[in-house]
Amino acid sequence: MRQATKVSLVRCESYEPGIVDRAVKQAIDHLGGISRFVKPGDRVLLKPNLLSARPPSRRITTDPAVVRAVGRLVLEAGGSPFIGDSPGIDPFGKVADKTGMTGVAEGLGIEVVELGDPTSVATPEGSVFKRLEIARQALEADVVINLPKLKAHSQMLLTLGVKNLFGTIVAQRKAEWHYMTGLDRDTFASLHLDIYLTVKPALTVLDGVWAMEGYGPSNGKPRHMAMIAASEDAVALDLSICRMLGTPLAALPLYRAA
């Protein structure tokens, strides 16, 4: 009999370093601890949401405090973390600086890199899309830790764990996929699910301390949610957040696709 998937929800009132560090560690400890996901010597991609060059106070991107907390745990486990994403709007260097990721990388002594070099890869059996081009760094990492932001999304209802992996599609290809599939929400959700199943993140840690409601993914309003969530199954995490928010699952394109 298959063991039930765990989704960890931990209260976290602010991004104060001590507070967020404890909440992130507690959320991951509920799942067995960081050593369950990271082994000594592992090269670990920390994949935050770095949509655009906006400051953390806008609540559009994953807060640097959360990325820093996870990065520290990876280092303590003997892993070699690096921060990476492929923003679809602004130049990567500007995005990394404005979102605070450059500072996190410097503080931890790790790299922050733009995900590039799209590499063709076959998707798992049963996928809607049989091949995808995924950033090489995501495919070559020993471990991917997915670090999404809790946000509303005008097209897909919510940006959560699964949607965040769309950032492993290299920048210019995002526009192509939006054009080819974006008009149909369920098809677009199937693409996100196929990307998630191909990249296979070992762990998803959701920044829900401050979320964004309204017209997302970039023009909404900050909303204090006081939460860190974590799971090895991003689909289960996303559906749990929907239930917590009182959102009918049938309204979420990802649920219909999954």
Side-chain angles (χ1 to χ4, degrees):
M1 185 175 179
R2 184 179 176 184
Q3 187 176 4
T5 299
K6 287 185 179 180
V7 177
S8 173
L9 303 173
V10 175
R11 189 166 186 83
C12 183
E13 291 285 353
S14 79
Y15 292 117
E16 288 291 327
I19 293 174
V20 76
D21 287 353
R22 285 191 294 272
V24 167
K25 185 177 187 303
Q26 185 180 358
I28 297 174
D29 283 349
H30 283 317
L31 306 176
I34 193 66
S35 60
R36 180 164 176 258
F37 305 99
V38 176
K39 304 304 179 188
D42 280 349
R43 181 127 171 101
V44 182
L45 168 60
L46 306 179
K47 168 52 183 85
N49 184 314
L50 302 182
L51 178 68
S52 59
R54 306 289 183 88
S57 59
R58 293 290 303 276
R59 312 308 177 192
I60 294 169
T61 55
T62 307
D63 197 272
V66 175
V67 180
R68 184 183 298 111
V70 176
R72 283 175 176 161
L73 290 176
V74 171
L75 289 169
E76 290 172 9
S80 178
F82 67 102
I83 302 166
D85 198 8
S86 181
I89 300 175
D90 300 309
F92 181 76
K94 185 177 180 181
V95 173
D97 290 347
K98 199 74 173 179
T99 59
M101 294 303 135
T102 300
V104 171
E106 290 174 351
L108 294 178
I110 65 176
E111 293 181 295
V112 56
V113 303
E114 182 173 12
L115 300 184
D117 191 12
T119 302
S120 180
V121 60
T123 54
E125 184 178 353
S127 298
V128 173
F129 299 89
K130 302 308 177 187
R131 296 197 72 85
L132 294 169
E133 289 188 335
I134 303 291
R136 176 183 52 79
Q137 297 94 330
L139 296 174
E140 292 182 352
D142 297 307
V143 178
V144 176
I145 298 182
N146 186 25
L147 302 174
K149 185 75 170 177
L150 172 52
K151 299 193 294 181
H153 193 283
S154 59
Q155 183 183 22
M156 303 306 292
L157 190 64
L158 291 168
T159 292
L160 296 167
V162 173
K163 176 76 170 62
N164 192 51
L165 273 300
F166 191 50
T168 62
I169 300 292
V170 177
Q172 65 271 20
R173 305 297 172 91
K174 289 187 179 70
E176 296 172 9
W177 279 113
H178 270 287
Y179 178 78
M180 289 187 291
T181 67
L183 294 178
D184 186 294
R185 288 180 171 86
D186 287 7
T187 302
F188 201 31
S190 293
L191 171 65
H192 295 152
L193 191 61
D194 288 353
I195 293 168
Y196 166 70
L197 293 172
T198 302
V199 174
K200 298 189 291 290
L203 175 66
T204 295
V205 180
L206 176 75
D207 171 12
V209 181
W210 276 88
M212 188 178 71
E213 64 181 0
Y215 198 76
S218 60
N219 295 305
K221 297 179 180 180
R223 176 69 178 266
H224 190 222
M225 296 294 291
M227 178 189 65
I228 295 290
S231 182
E232 60 187 293
D233 184 337
V235 176
L237 187 152
D238 291 1
L239 301 187
S240 295
I241 297 300
C242 277
R243 293 187 182 98
M244 188 190 75
L245 296 175
T247 302
L249 292 183
L252 184 70
L254 172 69
Y255 174 76
R256 299 195 298 266

